[in-house]
Amino acid sequence: MEFHNEESQFKKALLVYRESHKSALYSKKYSGFAAPASVSDWEKIPVLTRSEIHERSFPSSMDMMTCPLEDAIVISTGGSSGVARYTAYTHSEWDAFVTAQARALEILGITRKDRVANLFIAGHFWPSFLGLHDSIKKIGAVHLPISANIPPEEIVKLCQQFEPTVMISLPTLFVFLADMANRDGFKFKNLRMINYAGEHLSAVAEQHVSKALGVTRIKAGAYTSSDAGIMGYQCDHTPSGVYHVPTHFQWIELIDFDRGCRVKQGEKGDVVVTNLNRTSNPIIRYRVGDVAKWQEGTCPCGDRNPLLKLAGRAGADFKLGGGFISMDVFENAIARHAPALSLNFQLEISDIGGQFEVDLKIEAPRLPEPLMITTLRNELFQAVPELRISEEKNYLRQFTITPLEIGKLPRSPITGKVSHLKDNRVL
């Protein structure tokens, strides 16, 4: 994609900044701030928060709009947590979004000769199904609008009947299909590529999906936020979690909010994004909620756009016994027992009378042997000393591992995602 240096991005961002003053939110938010004259001035502009988008967007409010709500599409920008937020794009802004998304898919090798199975959930204002439809249309490929609204057995049947060469959906669904394939022994005849979006697909989950479904090419369709649009795209050389930034479309900063400054090369920071194309509902210095770092060097593909490596969700880990525990520890432990155990799991933590209980719910194609559950428990207590110490000190009232039939974990009705952490404690 077209490369823009930071000076060029600043000039485009300044136009969006000036236009934003037509909205009630930004005119008040930026009251008393002089228009930034340099990149360093830009860093002094206060960030946009999720709560502001939730509370000040249509239909709750028109405060973020710089123009009347006309010639537009309204989409949901949240929902996995059960709290939906909404935002509006003009049709021209939406077209620019899906054009960039289509180009990202073309870079990965999707052509008009492909049959693309659209396996996103449709409805509830969720934009993924609609956006992929428009992107496939721009490429000229054959669109198979199957969706994930139907039972998974029907998804398998339709994919076997219509033989897609590419499937696109959430990692949660692909892990589920891999579990089903291990249980039922099916493959998809002409499937050559899987694209995912909406969640991170870990290396262990990718191996599980690749082996079960017999697909060697698995790539992220894009790094995207419904609020901001496409923020990253992959090429043949980018590994899992690494993306080129579309500098013509987004300006991304990585900020250390503890120090109040940008991070240096190789350091982790919170992703802060400004959409350079959107003026009807401006997204300026939005704190997305992801943590990332800049990759050094130039990509072998020759694309000059910088490389961004995602390092997780801000606040995705949880606190236990004074320390912060990474959810990766649990996924890696479970992965050692795949395919007997699925990588669709949920860790639920509850506070019971001053003690806490932990229930690790894991989907499984078949009921696992008790010895496997005992082994996994021992491995987790070895990998997470806080669990063992909490049990010894009687802080941990109970730790259980509950196997569930595949598909039985609660999914978001809007996005279809499984939340890996459900922390019921009041901290």
Side-chain angles (χ1 to χ4, degrees):
M1 292 194 191
E2 183 182 352
F3 169 72
H4 283 215
N5 62 28
E6 192 165 62
E7 190 59 36
S8 173
Q9 289 180 305
F10 170 66
K11 290 178 181 178
K12 293 182 72 173
L14 196 56
L15 296 176
V16 178
Y17 173 87
R18 289 170 176 157
E19 190 70 15
S20 74
H21 284 70
K22 295 179 181 179
S23 75
L25 169 68
Y26 286 109
S27 61
K28 184 175 181 180
K29 188 179 182 73
Y30 297 154
S31 177
F33 283 86
S38 64
V39 171
S40 60
D41 287 345
W42 181 263
E43 296 174 27
K44 300 172 186 175
I45 296 174
V47 297
L48 179 67
T49 66
R50 279 188 178 188
S51 61
E52 286 176 311
I53 291 178
H54 176 55
E55 295 166 6
R56 310 293 289 277
S57 293
F58 178 81
S60 298
S61 168
M62 295 290 289
D63 286 355
M64 285 194 69
M65 297 292 295
T66 63
C67 59
L69 184 62
E70 300 171 352
D71 188 28
I73 179 172
V74 178
I75 62 171
S76 171
T77 69
S80 297
S81 63
V83 179
R85 303 181 304 276
Y86 302 91
T87 192
Y89 285 75
T90 65
H91 286 308
S92 63
E93 291 169 346
W94 177 257
D95 189 68
F97 177 1
V98 296
T99 297
Q101 178 67 71
R103 180 60 188 134
L105 296 176
E106 287 177 322
I107 289 171
L108 292 177
I110 297 177
T111 73
R112 62 187 300 108
K113 295 181 179 180
D114 279 302
R115 298 180 195 173
V116 183
N118 184 344
L119 302 180
F120 285 118
I121 283 183
H124 285 98
F125 291 84
W126 195 242
S128 301
F129 191 87
L130 291 171
L132 183 56
H133 164 75
D134 289 342
S135 296
I136 294 170
K137 184 178 179 180
K138 286 183 178 294
I139 294 170
V142 175
H143 184 198
L144 304 178
I146 295 170
S147 92
N149 297 63
I150 61 177
E153 293 78 11
E154 290 189 36
I155 294 175
V156 172
K157 181 181 177 180
L158 289 170
C159 286
Q160 289 177 327
Q161 181 180 359
F162 288 90
E163 298 183 349
T165 56
V166 179
M167 290 181 178
I168 304 181
S169 189
L170 293 170
T172 294
L173 179 64
F174 288 127
V175 169
F176 189 14
L177 292 178
D179 293 338
M180 291 179 66
N182 281 327
R183 183 190 66 189
D184 302 333
F186 63 79
K187 289 284 194 298
F188 298 111
K189 182 179 177 182
N190 292 324
L191 183 63
R192 67 177 185 86
M193 185 191 307
I194 281 175
N195 285 125
Y196 61 90
E199 301 171 293
H200 175 61
L201 182 68
S202 68
V204 291
E206 182 176 326
Q207 291 168 9
H208 173 57
V209 171
S210 176
K211 184 177 180 181
L213 298 182
V215 181
T216 57
R217 186 164 174 75
I218 299 178
K219 285 285 190 179
Y223 169 43
T224 300
S225 157
S226 299
D227 303 298
I230 182 171
M231 299 182 290
Y233 59 95
Q234 293 202 304
C235 69
D236 287 338
H237 299 275
T238 49
S240 176
V242 177
Y243 301 84
H244 288 281
V245 174
T247 52
H248 75 291
F249 196 77
Q250 303 282 9
W251 186 9
I252 289 182
E253 306 167 72
L254 298 184
I255 305 296
D256 182 334
F257 283 96
D258 290 333
R259 293 185 294 167
C261 63
R262 289 190 183 188
V263 300
K264 297 178 181 178
Q265 190 86 21
E267 294 179 343
K268 294 179 182 178
D270 280 44
V271 176
V272 174
V273 61
T274 300
N275 186 300
L276 301 174
N277 184 69
R278 199 163 164 214
T279 56
S280 68
N281 204 328
I283 300 296
I284 300 174
R285 302 204 78 220
Y286 172 45
R287 189 174 182 177
V288 174
D290 292 325
V291 175
K293 62 182 180 179
W294 295 113
Q295 287 277 91
E296 294 185 16
T298 304
C299 186
C301 75
D303 191 331
R304 295 174 60 199
N305 281 312
L307 295 170
L308 186 77
K309 180 176 177 59
L310 293 181
R313 290 289 290 176
D317 300 339
F318 65 95
K319 193 170 185 179
L320 188 68
F324 282 93
I325 315 301
S326 171
M327 291 300 294
D328 291 344
V329 174
F330 290 85
E331 184 175 52
N332 291 334
I334 294 168
R336 287 194 285 271
H337 300 278
L341 297 179
S342 172
L343 292 174
N344 279 335
F345 68 93
Q346 184 178 80
L347 187 74
E348 183 171 6
I349 309 173
S350 302
D351 195 342
I352 309 293
Q355 297 174 297
F356 63 92
E357 292 183 349
V358 178
D359 185 18
L360 177 58
K361 301 179 180 71
I362 311 172
E363 293 186 352
R366 297 177 182 85
L367 186 66
E369 295 292 333
L371 179 58
M372 179 180 292
I373 299 301
T374 301
T375 301
L376 175 59
R377 186 185 194 279
N378 293 338
E379 290 170 347
L380 287 169
F381 273 65
Q382 183 67 31
V384 185
E386 289 83 357
L387 285 174
R388 175 176 47 80
I389 295 169
S390 295
E391 186 176 55
E392 290 172 355
K393 294 183 178 293
N394 206 33
Y395 300 147
L396 176 60
R397 179 177 177 177
Q398 183 173 267
F399 182 95
T400 55
I401 297 176
T402 305
L404 299 173
E405 183 182 344
I406 57 173
K408 293 301 184 182
L409 275 173
R411 267 79 170 164
S412 164
I414 299 176
T415 65
K417 296 179 184 179
V418 170
S419 176
H420 281 177
L421 178 63
K422 184 179 180 183
D423 196 339
N424 300 320
R425 298 171 297 171
V426 179
L427 299 176

